[in-house]
Every structure is written in C-alpha cells, then in structure tokens.
Amino acid sequence: MASAEAGSTQSRWLPSLVGLHGGRCRRGPNSYAFCMGLSDCTIVTADTKFFIMSTADTFHEISPFLVHRLILSFIGEVKNIKKLKSGDLLIEVSNSNQAKSLSRLTELGDLKVSVSVHRNLNFSRGVISERGLKKHTESELIQELSEQKVCAARRIHIKRDGKLIPTQHVVLTFSTTELPKSIKAGYLSCPVKPYIPNPVRCFKCQKFGHSQQACKGSKICAKCSVSGHDSSDCISDEVKCRNCQGAHPAFSRSCPQWALEKEILTTKIRKNISFAEARRLVSERSPKPGVTYSSAVKQCAYCGSHTTPQGIQKNFPRSSTQPAPAPSDSVQIPNKSSIREKTLATVSHPLKDKQIPKQKETVKATDNTDNVKKLQRIKETKAAKRARLAALKKNKD
C-alpha cells in the first residue's frame, strides 16, 4: 500500500505525461488521459519531428560513421542526431516524409532496430479555464477540439473534505511543439496558458529530478530523512528535510529546494530552453549563501570586490569636472576699486575665488573702459569740428 504522503501528492499534482516511455504507452493512471482519442500512441502526424531509435546491443559499441551512412541511405539527411545516455539515438527529422519512412524502419543494415515517437518533445501542453466547458467530459473535449491538434485532455480536480471536485481548468495536450495562444471552443475563444508541472520528487530517496522507478539510491524517510524505512512507518519525533535540512518533511511545499525546482521548471517552459540552461539562469540570479544584500550593494563596480563607502571615496576622489555649487544669496559683487580684496574676504570656496567673481569683474571693467574711450572720441570730434568751423568763418571775414 502506498504511503498517504505519496497519494496526497499525486492527487495535488496536475496531470503529466509520465505514462509514456519512448513513445510506447505503459498502462498506468495517466496513460488513459493521454491515449484518449488516439488509436495508437506511436501514431505519426505531420507535426511529429522527434524519434527514439533503439537496438538490443545499444549504439555505444557501434561505429557512429557506419550508423550515419546507414541513416543517410535509408531516409536521407536528417536535421539532428544525438546519442542518449541509455545508448539510444534521438533523431530529429526535417520533414513529414522522413518521419513516415523512419517510423516504418525495422532494420538498419544488419541491425535490428525499433523506432518510436519521443514521449515529450513532439507535444506541448497548455491550460484553458472556461466556465462554459465545465459540463463537458474529457472525451467530448478531445473530439470537438481534435481539428485544432488537441490529442489529450485532463480536467483538474481539487480535494475538499476528502472528495475530488472538478474545476473549470483543463490541461490540453497538443500534437505540436508550438503552443497556440488560443483555441476556439464553438463560439468561445479560450486563451491557452503554458502548463507548468510541479517538480518530480522520488518517493524512495526523496531527491528531485527523477521518479521512484528510475532511482538508484537507498530508501530515505520523507519525514526524518533517516534511511531504512518509509514515512508511513516513521516513529521519530524529529522532522528533517532530506533536501534542505530544514525542520519540515521532504514533501512540504514550504521547502526552499522545492521552490527552486519550481522556478527552474517555470524558466525552462516559458523560455523554451533546456533544463541545464534554465538551472544556470536561476542559480545566477539566486542569492549566494553568506552574502547579504548590503554587502552586495557595496560591491565595487570596477573590480568586483566588496569594500566600504569610505574606501570607495578614498580610491575614487571627487572629479574636478563636477559642476560647482551655485553661489549663495549672501555673496555680493563689490565695487571696481576693491574687487579682488573683497572677493577673497567674502567668498571661501576656492572655485568661486578662481572662476565666478573674477570673470564678472573682468567683463565689467572691460565694458567701462570701452565706453569712456568712445565718449572721449565723440567729444574731441565735436570740439575739433567747432574749431574748424570758427576758423573758416574768420577767414571769410
């Protein structure tokens, strides 16, 4: 009998495609949700791009040059080929003709091979929330939305008072790698939001990232993190998380490691990147242990080292190109005779002594001198003119 913790966790989770393995359906609680409306799980459509090729001896011991030449001769140049850790080949085809030829392939030269549709890469999942579709069953939704490449549907349930209550939220699986922004349900236009599943946690070793069937570790209690027994048989009063060492069980939603794994999944799905790249992006923007916010703010922008504000002022003095502060209202421009003396006495800032008062005094003194010279030239010219006119008049007489 499964533990109560495992059953409650599975009931809370949104549906996933864990019932598929290499494109072949395994009979389980989630296999019906995916295969509903499909005659065969290995069906190939025009949007199928990714296939798994396997052989009894695996491809670890087979020459990659030989395999590449055989694939070229049978189906042509494909878009990409990658060998997985299991020894199988992940093949991405370029068009639908290659997909049909590859799906029917049973022999590759002298090798007996089996080809299946990849379980996740050929599909995308989204969530619709429409009150008008609440009375429709999952099979009815698949039948009505099949023309929009919907191949599976699963209604989300919530648990209240020990009973599962259906909601208006439905997880749709599309047989295409690109998730549509909306679908038409009759006359209704339903927006499609990306489906972000909860992190997968192993019920055996309590670590994230794999299931109990693929676990190679030892059995760890989810409550006290001690090996050798399940959480249903735990009699310890101590509660300790296996992942973060906190005072909570490993299945708690308040676990910081669970929140981190959830953020990694969200980044992967929304940015359409790999798990490794999503984990790197999340770890870069996550706070580092032992580094506080105040010390991060004081980090030097030039060398990256942490220093104090006093050290920053010593290392980087105030630039001389900064604008000088405006003169205060109490500073007045003195008379022409004592400009320099009164300026030195009243103004204490060195920049004001050198720049502002000296410039004003020089400009005004220059203007007064020019005006005096102009007036003198004008007076002399009129006097000479009168003298010249008087001399001319005297000569005439």
Side-chain angles (χ1 to χ4, degrees):
M1 182 177 178
S3 62
E5 170 263 321
S8 62
T9 303
Q10 289 181 354
S11 65
R12 290 195 304 264
W13 284 10
L14 298 180
S16 59
L17 298 182
V18 296
L20 294 179
H21 178 69
R24 295 182 290 273
C25 181
R26 294 187 295 177
R27 300 303 172 189
N30 293 325
S31 61
Y32 175 75
F34 178 75
C35 298
M36 190 185 304
L38 298 177
S39 59
D40 188 5
C41 286
T42 59
I43 186 172
V44 179
T45 63
D47 299 309
T48 306
K49 300 295 181 182
F50 297 92
F51 293 85
I52 296 292
M53 178 182 289
S54 57
T55 183
D57 299 330
T58 72
F59 288 94
H60 285 308
E61 305 297 332
I62 304 175
S63 172
F65 302 105
L66 175 61
V67 174
H68 189 220
R69 284 195 294 267
L70 291 173
I71 293 177
L72 285 177
S73 62
F74 279 94
I75 62 176
E77 184 69 31
V78 295
K79 190 173 182 179
N80 189 25
I81 303 176
K82 181 180 179 181
K83 186 170 67 173
L84 305 177
K85 291 182 180 181
S86 60
D88 300 337
L89 296 182
L90 174 62
I91 302 176
E92 182 181 2
V93 298
S94 301
N95 49 61
S96 58
N97 294 330
Q98 288 184 351
K100 294 179 181 178
S101 301
L102 184 60
S103 62
R104 294 192 295 262
L105 193 63
T106 58
E107 293 183 356
L108 194 64
D110 297 334
L111 297 174
K112 298 291 184 179
V113 297
S114 61
V115 180
S116 57
V117 179
H118 193 276
R119 58 179 181 176
N120 288 329
L121 296 181
N122 295 296
F123 308 97
S124 59
R125 287 178 290 173
V127 181
I128 60 172
S129 302
E130 184 58 49
R131 187 176 181 180
L133 303 177
K134 191 173 182 179
K135 295 183 179 180
H136 292 273
T137 63
E138 296 170 351
S139 57
E140 291 175 348
L141 292 176
I142 294 174
Q143 183 178 2
E144 295 293 339
L145 302 176
S146 59
E147 295 182 356
Q148 302 181 60
K149 302 180 179 180
V150 175
C151 60
R154 177 72 177 270
R155 187 173 296 278
I156 299 175
H157 294 73
I158 58 176
K159 195 171 184 179
R160 289 181 180 175
D161 300 331
K163 296 182 181 180
L164 292 178
I165 302 176
T167 65
Q168 63 182 8
H169 311 293
V170 182
V171 181
L172 300 179
T173 303
F174 297 86
S175 59
T176 176
T177 57
E178 295 183 2
L179 188 69
K181 295 183 178 180
S182 62
I183 60 171
K184 294 288 293 185
Y187 62 88
L188 298 175
S189 180
C190 304
V192 180
K193 299 179 181 179
Y195 166 68
I196 302 175
N198 289 325
V200 177
R201 182 179 55 85
C202 176
F203 295 152
K204 183 180 179 182
C205 71
Q206 310 304 328
K207 290 186 177 180
F208 293 100
H210 64 275
S211 61
Q212 184 177 358
Q213 290 77 12
C215 182
K216 298 180 181 180
S218 58
K219 182 184 296 185
I220 302 294
C221 177
K223 181 181 177 182
C224 64
S225 69
V226 176
S227 60
H229 64 275
D230 292 327
S231 59
S232 58
D233 302 329
C234 183
I235 59 175
S236 176
D237 296 332
E238 181 184 5
V239 180
K240 185 178 180 181
C241 179
R242 170 69 170 83
N243 298 293
C244 70
Q245 310 302 319
H248 56 263
F251 51 86
S252 175
R253 295 294 182 90
S254 60
C255 178
Q257 188 65 29
W258 186 92
L260 178 64
E261 296 293 331
K262 182 73 172 182
E263 187 178 359
I264 292 174
L265 278 173
T266 304
T267 304
K268 175 190 178 299
I269 294 174
R270 290 184 176 177
K271 294 190 176 183
N272 195 19
I273 56 180
S274 62
F275 269 107
E277 189 174 358
R279 187 176 295 276
R280 180 184 60 83
L281 292 177
V282 173
S283 61
E284 286 179 354
R285 65 171 179 255
S286 300
K288 298 180 181 180
V291 179
T292 62
Y293 177 78
S294 58
S295 62
V297 171
K298 297 175 184 178
Q299 185 175 1
C300 178
Y302 293 89
C303 60
S305 61
H306 295 275
T307 181
T308 59
Q310 292 79 7
I312 296 176
Q313 293 178 0
K314 292 179 181 179
N315 296 332
F316 301 97
R318 181 178 177 180
S319 175
S320 60
T321 58
Q322 293 181 357
S328 59
D329 298 335
S330 60
V331 178
Q332 298 180 358
I333 304 299
N335 297 329
K336 299 178 183 179
S337 60
S338 59
I339 291 178
R340 186 61 180 176
E341 292 78 8
K342 290 188 178 182
T343 302
L344 293 174
T346 55
V347 182
S348 60
H349 199 284
L351 294 179
K352 294 181 180 180
D353 295 341
K354 297 179 181 180
Q355 299 293 336
I356 299 176
K358 185 175 180 181
Q359 290 179 356
K360 291 184 177 181
E361 180 237 340
T362 305
V363 172
K364 288 192 175 184
T366 304
D367 295 341
N368 293 335
T369 305
D370 295 339
N371 292 334
V372 171
K373 291 182 178 180
K374 288 180 180 179
L375 290 174
Q376 290 178 354
R377 284 199 299 268
I378 293 173
K379 291 180 180 180
E380 291 176 353
T381 304
K382 290 182 178 181
K385 185 177 180 180
R386 286 196 297 269
R388 189 171 55 257
L389 293 176
L392 290 175
K393 185 176 180 181
K394 186 177 180 179
N395 293 333
K396 288 182 180 179
D397 298 337

